[in-house]
Amino acid sequence: MSEYTAPAQGLDAVEVPEPGAVTIVVPTFNESANVRRLLHQITESVPARLPCEVLFVDDSTDDTPEVVREAARDCPFPVAVLHREEPVGGLGGAVVEGLRAATSEWIVVMDGDCQHPPSLVPELVATGERANAGLVVASRYVEGGSRAGLAGGYRVAVSRGATWLAKALFPRRLHGISDPMSGFFAVRRSAVTADVLKPLGYKILLELAVRSRPRQVAEVPFVFRDRFAGESKSTAREGFRFLRHLAGLRTASPVARMVGFGLIGASGFVPNLVGLWALTVLGMHYLPAEILANQFGVAWNFLLIEQLLFRDRRAHRRWWDRLGRFALLANADLLLRIPLIALLVGRFGMGALPATALALVMTFVLRFVGTEALVYLPRRRGSRARRAV
Ligand code: GDD
Ligand code: MN
């Protein structure tokens, strides 16, 4: 370590990237009508101010890669296409592959449909250098920026709502980022920890800001222009992906997961009560109706927990195995609560109300721990190997 102290003192000077140290990563999906124009715009505005190279990460089913290669001949900088046979993670997955492959000190991510002005690339990097930032976001929501190119009131409202929701869920980590939905940003390579990123769909900046947590963030205004050709690939399905992505990010820690588990559990009262009402209206006696209606709540909870909390931990058991275990735990919870309350009141002299509250909390924690351990914890390799012997 000490050997390196001396050179480290001069690091500041070394850290200013050599001119030419920006890799522009462009994710593309069927953008053959746009990429030539994009490369032309980059040629006009970037290399004279900041030498660059461009890396397309392509999942196209059209001839985008060929068009890029063809257009690259006229470019005074290196252009590469990384075509993926399997489009893992969609747009976000493509960007992460680009981040992994890039070798420059700075990486700028921008769309391939000319909605992002390449003339801003040198400014993003310069701002990052000046502010000593790890991440520089091109924002539509700071003075001088605009979202002119968001097609229609519906997209504007969705984008607004998504921004608000993300900021509300991550007030600290998104502090200083007015536009966490932006697809245009610069990152310092040392600030990216590609291995911790689990991108899901469009919102890669959100993923980066929350999981990689760059030490210092800066913003530059930009005007989100109209798409040059073709249509946005964002769909309602992307919207659901975004919600799942948010849930995944928010419940990455065990405590947050427990809170999520509790909220989902509480929401289960609704199908439970509606079911009870429907069954009794249909003439069922209230006791069997209680038991049956409880299963509606269980099914509801199971669906939400699977989709939002344990999405990436489902692979090691079949769905009916997970459902069976989950339902067993949920019903055991009911059965356990009554004797527990009796014990707290009878043995420990508690009042019925605090005893019930305490029993609720205790069985809730037990159920959460049980669900993690018995339904979603990957089985240990060792035990399987032993069984195999
Ligand atoms: N490699 C790859 N794989 N690229 C993709 C994929 C994919 O599955 N899906 C979309 N892209 C590329 C598109 O070809 C385009 O270059 C870029 O990602 C953005 O896609 P659009 O379909 O044009 O997205 P948008 O304009 O609706 O959304 C943009 O603006 C949003 C802000 O409102 C994106 O930048 C979003 O990330 C951003 O949130
Ligand atoms: Mn677009």
Side-chain angles (χ1 to χ4, degrees):
M1 174 89 206
S2 57
E3 271 176 64
Y4 288 91
T5 322
Q9 308 241 302
L11 250 187
D12 272 357
V14 181
E15 252 179 12
V16 173
E18 278 286 289
V22 63
T23 303
I24 302 176
V25 169
V26 185
T28 45
F29 180 73
N30 296 351
E31 301 289 1
S32 61
N34 289 313
V35 285
R36 180 176 286 281
R37 186 183 163 94
L38 177 73
L39 281 173
H40 181 71
Q41 289 180 345
I42 295 177
T43 305
E44 296 235 293
S45 56
V46 184
R49 291 153 71 201
L50 180 70
C52 63
E53 58 191 46
V54 180
L55 172 62
F56 286 86
V57 187
D58 180 71
D59 293 329
S60 298
T61 49
D62 71 356
D63 60 344
T64 302
E66 287 76 38
V67 177
V68 168
R69 281 189 202 108
E70 176 73 34
R73 295 198 193 134
D74 303 329
C75 296
F77 45 79
V79 177
V81 184
L82 198 158
H83 179 77
R84 307 195 303 165
E85 287 308 326
E86 250 186 272
V88 188
L91 170 53
V95 170
V96 171
E97 293 236 356
L99 296 178
R100 281 218 179 89
T103 50
S104 320
E105 167 70 0
W106 281 97
I107 303 160
V108 170
V109 176
M110 66 187 301
D111 291 352
D113 56 359
C114 304
Q115 290 197 277
H116 299 152
S119 54
L120 211 63
V121 169
E123 195 177 330
L124 288 173
V125 174
T127 303
E129 285 296 329
R130 233 180 292 125
N132 197 17
L135 173 68
V136 186
V137 178
S139 167
R140 295 164 290 179
Y141 301 125
V142 284
E143 177 134 25
S146 127
R147 41 161 213 276
L150 264 190
Y154 171 73
R155 283 284 319 253
V156 171
V158 169
S159 177
R160 271 272 138 136
T163 304
W164 178 85
L165 186 62
K167 298 268 295 174
L169 285 173
F170 300 97
R172 253 175 309 159
R173 294 198 196 159
L174 295 183
H175 183 79
I177 302 183
S178 63
D179 194 357
M181 303 297 131
S182 178
F184 191 16
F185 55 89
V187 268
R188 210 187 269 274
R189 217 157 61 83
S190 52
V192 184
T193 39
D195 294 341
V196 302
L197 301 177
K198 301 180 197 162
L200 188 64
Y202 266 49
K203 306 308 174 193
I204 181 62
L205 173 60
L206 183 67
E207 175 79 19
L208 253 174
V210 172
R211 284 206 222 268
S212 276
R213 300 188 222 178
R215 51 194 164 125
Q216 183 80 32
V217 187
E219 286 196 319
V220 170
F222 93 104
V223 177
F224 189 62
R225 292 183 297 201
D226 281 331
R227 208 172 215 284
F228 177 60
E231 283 180 355
S232 165
K233 278 79 187 178
S234 174
T235 53
R237 210 172 140 229
E238 265 321 312
F240 286 112
R241 255 185 168 183
F242 167 65
L243 292 179
R244 281 202 331 251
H245 188 188
L246 270 185
L249 282 174
R250 190 59 283 182
T251 55
S253 80
V255 173
R257 210 155 44 235
M258 186 143 110
V259 172
F261 192 84
L263 289 176
I264 291 174
S267 77
F269 286 132
V270 176
N272 193 331
L273 291 177
V274 171
L276 184 68
W277 171 79
L279 291 172
T280 46
V281 163
L282 288 174
M284 191 182 260
H285 185 272
Y286 83 94
L287 277 180
E290 290 277 3
I291 295 171
L292 206 58
N294 192 52
Q295 308 315 310
F296 293 155
V298 170
W300 166 271
N301 288 347
F302 179 70
L303 279 177
L304 286 183
I305 278 165
E306 287 260 304
Q307 289 300 316
L308 299 178
L309 280 190
F310 294 106
R311 214 187 150 69
D312 50 359
R313 293 216 250 154
R314 299 180 301 178
H316 58 281
R317 277 181 210 288
R318 292 177 191 281
W319 72 266
W320 45 263
D321 186 3
R322 299 194 302 272
L323 175 61
R325 285 163 176 264
F326 185 83
L328 215 64
L329 279 167
N331 286 294
D333 166 85
L334 269 189
L335 289 181
L336 184 68
R337 211 176 297 150
I338 304 299
L340 190 60
I341 294 170
L343 185 79
L344 291 174
V345 174
R347 278 290 291 273
F348 299 100
M350 286 178 81
L353 214 61
T356 306
L358 184 59
L360 269 170
V361 172
M362 287 166 75
T363 52
F364 166 75
V365 173
L366 274 178
R367 184 142 73 95
F368 174 70
V369 173
T371 303
E372 282 233 313
L374 301 176
V375 188
Y376 296 103
L377 198 69
R379 288 182 242 202
R380 260 188 282 131
R381 287 245 183 85
S383 61
R384 208 179 248 179
R386 242 175 278 133
R387 221 174 298 140
V389 172

